[in-house]
């Protein structure tokens, strides 16, 4: 084990472009962590293998979105000179150790995983649950453990995955010897709730068409905000309104800074003042939405323009992924080697073991020969 190294690993499934929920929930934090330099090594995985666990029949969706996610990462501020961005399917050890780890986990433990339970409910597999889907927490444990990750920044929904990774590390270490580090999840600070969709549904999802993407242009953002779901009891401007569980205010809580008020809505010093007015009555949704659109466009504008530049040279973005993947391969190979040694399945490099087996055979042969000689001698006499 490499002592005291701080290693971050996290990832996303490439099933669509990233939206402002991803940004508020995790991406923004990763950029901050990168810039603060708290980690010795940082890895971000584009989890194409995991994306295939429920998209086996649609590999093109996964394939097309690898580059989209990479573009979103880099335009949002991930710096490939500090963070290894890599593609999951290109790391052989992840498959190898998914297999060994599978022997350390029971079926009932997998079925108890609350995230899997919730996802099975949403995915309508019926009786036809793909084995790879049910077991993806094991594969995700490999994602984390084969990089010696100490921290996994991810949303609350990933806590059961990190817990399973801890259990697998513990089980492996106690069975075969200390190799893997038990990782800790790092849940996002500040934003306590996942951003809802623009339609007020609990989650932003591509299939529901209720997302604001990092790559949306200004007009698209304005249009999407204009049609956003707000407080359904706030019928007239003079009516008192609710700010809690109101998507417009939840977005503002995630993105509006005092500077935005000075710039776009100087009648209010900050969000508290705006919320107070809304709750009291006399503040219309149109005003609030116009402000939200300005805030979002202000946040997204530098991301958009970086993306625009990157889109001019897609080959070089793939090059970035290739280099990140190379670095990730080296890291996983190191852990793979240590783990194979601990398990004693490093047959071809294990000279000592080969010598030991040879000695045992030599001894057995000697004994057989001695016995044969003894019997031959006794027969004769
Ligand atoms: N399960 C994560 C998601 O759905 C993606 C993921 C794959 C991941 N491997 C990981 C996250 C390892 C953190 C660490 O978003």
């Amino acid at each position: 084990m490499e002592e005291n190294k701080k290693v971050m690993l996290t990832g996303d499934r490439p099933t669509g472009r990233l939206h402002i929920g991803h940004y508020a929930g995790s991406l923004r934090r990763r950029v901050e962590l990168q810039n603060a330099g708290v980690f010795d090594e940082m890895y971000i995985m584009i989890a194409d293998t995991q994306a295939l666990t429920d998209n086996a029949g649609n590999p093109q969706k996964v394939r097309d979105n690898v580059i989209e996610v990479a573009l979103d990462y880099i335009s949002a501020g991930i710096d490939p000179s500090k963070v290894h961005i890599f593609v999951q399917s290109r790391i052989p050890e992840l498959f190898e150790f998914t297999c060994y780890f599978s022997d350390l986990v029971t079926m009932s433990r997998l079925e108890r995983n609350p995230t899997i339970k919730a996802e099975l409910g949403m995915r309508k597999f019926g009786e036809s649950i793909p084995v790879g889907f049910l077991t993806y927490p094991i594969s995700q444990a490999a994602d984390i453990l084969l990089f010696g990750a100490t921290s996994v920044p991810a949303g609350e929904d990933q806590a059961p995955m990190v817990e399973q990774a801890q259990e697998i590390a513990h089980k492996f270490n106690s069975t075969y010897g200390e190799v893997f580090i038990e990782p800790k999840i790092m849940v996002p600070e500040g934003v306590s709730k996942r951003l809802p969709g623009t339609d007020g549904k609990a989650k932003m999802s591509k299939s529901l068409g209720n997302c604001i993407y990092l790559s949306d242009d200004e007009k698209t953002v304005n249009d999407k905000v204009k049609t956003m779901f707000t407080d359904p009891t706030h019928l007239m401007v003079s009516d008192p309104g609710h700010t809690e569980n109101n998507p417009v205010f939840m977005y503002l809580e995630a993105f509006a800074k005092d500077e935005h008020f000075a710039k776009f809505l100087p009648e209010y010093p900050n969000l508290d003042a705006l919320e107070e007015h809304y709750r009291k009555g006399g503040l219309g949704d149109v005003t609030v939405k116009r402000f939200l659109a300005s805030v979002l466009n202000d946040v997204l504008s530098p991301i958009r323009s970086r993306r625009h530049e990157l889109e001019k040279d897609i080959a070089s973005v793939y090059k970035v992924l290739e280099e990140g993947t190379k670095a990730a391969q080296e890291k996983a190979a190191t852990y793979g080697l240590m783990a194979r040694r601990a398990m004693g399945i490093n047959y071809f490099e294990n000279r000592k073991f080969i010598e030991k087996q040879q000695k045992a055979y030599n001894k057995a042969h000697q004994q057989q020969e001695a016995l044969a000689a003894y019997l031959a001698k006794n027969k004769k006499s």
Side-chain angles (χ1 to χ4, degrees):
M1 246 194 287
E2 298 160 290
E3 299 295 338
N4 303 325
K5 240 191 191 179
K6 291 177 99 182
V7 179
M8 185 214 86
L9 181 134
T10 188
D12 296 282
R13 298 180 195 176
T15 52
R17 292 182 173 205
L18 300 182
H19 51 62
I20 60 169
H22 292 117
Y23 187 69
S26 63
L27 195 45
R28 182 166 58 181
R29 181 86 189 286
R30 296 176 198 172
V31 175
E32 286 165 11
L33 289 168
Q34 161 198 286
N35 295 337
V38 277
F39 290 104
D40 300 302
E41 291 171 28
M42 299 179 80
Y43 298 89
I44 302 183
M45 160 189 298
I46 301 181
D48 60 335
T49 305
Q50 191 176 109
L52 284 166
T53 62
D54 61 342
N55 288 286
N58 197 359
Q60 189 177 344
K61 171 168 144 190
V62 176
R63 182 198 312 136
D64 289 347
N65 280 301
V66 168
I67 194 73
E68 297 300 337
V69 171
L71 286 165
D72 284 333
Y73 283 162
I74 303 169
S75 44
I78 298 293
D79 174 354
S81 75
K82 296 183 178 143
V83 177
H84 304 298
I85 307 172
F86 72 99
V87 179
Q88 182 186 24
S89 62
R90 301 324 313 143
I91 314 293
E93 280 79 6
L94 297 183
F95 301 90
E96 183 183 356
F97 282 87
T98 296
C99 196
Y100 299 136
F101 292 165
S102 297
D103 303 330
L104 305 175
V105 180
T106 63
M107 285 299 285
S108 63
R109 176 63 183 87
L110 282 178
E111 284 159 2
R112 258 189 289 128
N113 186 309
T115 302
I116 291 287
K117 269 193 189 166
E119 287 178 333
L120 285 178
M122 278 162 22
R123 298 251 188 330
K124 304 183 186 79
F125 287 128
E127 293 295 298
S128 315
I129 302 167
V131 170
F133 186 81
L134 190 63
T135 58
Y136 91 71
I138 303 176
S139 152
Q140 188 162 336
D143 297 346
I144 298 167
L145 301 184
L146 266 294
F147 292 90
T150 51
S151 297
V152 180
E156 216 39 275
D157 62 324
Q158 295 300 304
M161 302 297 161
V162 179
E163 240 167 69
Q164 268 206 306
Q166 291 167 347
E167 285 173 28
I168 290 172
H170 186 81
K171 184 89 192 221
F172 186 99
N173 292 348
S174 60
T175 310
Y176 303 115
E178 288 286 323
V179 174
F180 292 115
I181 292 166
E182 288 185 36
K184 288 199 175 60
I185 191 166
M186 248 177 133
V187 288
E189 281 167 4
V191 267
S192 49
K193 272 200 182 149
R194 183 202 283 278
L195 285 191
T198 52
D199 57 358
K201 294 230 170 70
K203 205 179 155 179
M204 274 193 214
S205 124
K206 195 188 168 113
S207 52
L208 294 174
N210 61 0
C211 310
I212 295 175
Y213 293 100
L214 293 181
S215 48
D216 280 346
D217 62 25
E218 191 171 335
K219 183 176 180 310
T220 307
V221 171
N222 291 341
D223 291 346
K224 286 182 178 175
V225 171
K226 215 176 271 172
T227 61
M228 265 180 83
F229 179 87
T230 66
D231 173 11
T233 67
H234 186 243
L235 297 174
M236 300 212 284
V237 173
S238 55
D239 286 341
H242 297 87
T243 53
E244 73 279 8
N245 294 323
N246 180 331
V248 174
F249 281 94
M250 289 169 86
Y251 287 14
L252 283 174
E253 279 155 24
F255 292 107
K257 299 205 183 99
D258 293 356
E259 300 95 86
H260 289 131
F261 282 91
K263 205 163 156 189
F264 304 118
L265 199 62
E267 301 91 294
Y268 302 87
N270 53 38
L271 188 55
D272 285 342
L274 188 77
E275 290 189 337
E276 200 186 304
H277 192 184
Y278 191 82
R279 284 195 288 260
K280 211 171 70 193
L283 174 57
D285 282 319
V286 175
T287 308
V288 186
K289 284 181 173 180
R290 240 185 234 141
F291 176 59
L292 174 61
S294 306
V295 170
L296 290 180
N297 281 319
D298 190 65
V299 172
L300 295 180
S301 145
I303 299 178
R304 259 180 224 139
S305 51
R306 272 193 297 264
R307 200 184 214 277
H308 194 76
E309 280 310 300
L310 292 164
E311 284 169 356
K312 291 179 185 162
D313 190 359
I314 291 300
S316 76
V317 180
Y318 273 110
K319 199 81 203 149
V320 165
L321 285 183
E322 196 179 342
E323 312 234 300
T325 302
K326 241 182 240 158
Q329 280 165 344
E330 279 171 28
K331 181 78 178 186
T334 306
Y335 266 91
L337 196 65
M338 290 192 287
R340 261 178 245 114
R341 279 182 186 158
M343 295 173 75
I345 56 170
N346 54 332
Y347 307 106
F348 309 129
E349 60 147 32
N350 197 345
R351 291 275 136 220
K352 267 201 196 125
F353 186 63
I354 296 171
E355 275 166 30
K356 202 173 131 197
Q357 283 188 325
Q358 187 62 67
K359 271 190 193 142
Y361 272 114
N362 291 349
K363 198 172 164 192
H365 288 169
Q366 273 168 16
Q367 282 171 347
Q368 278 167 10
E369 280 158 23
L371 182 66
Y374 173 81
L375 289 176
K377 202 171 127 198
N378 281 357
K379 213 184 215 168
K380 257 183 243 160
S381 54

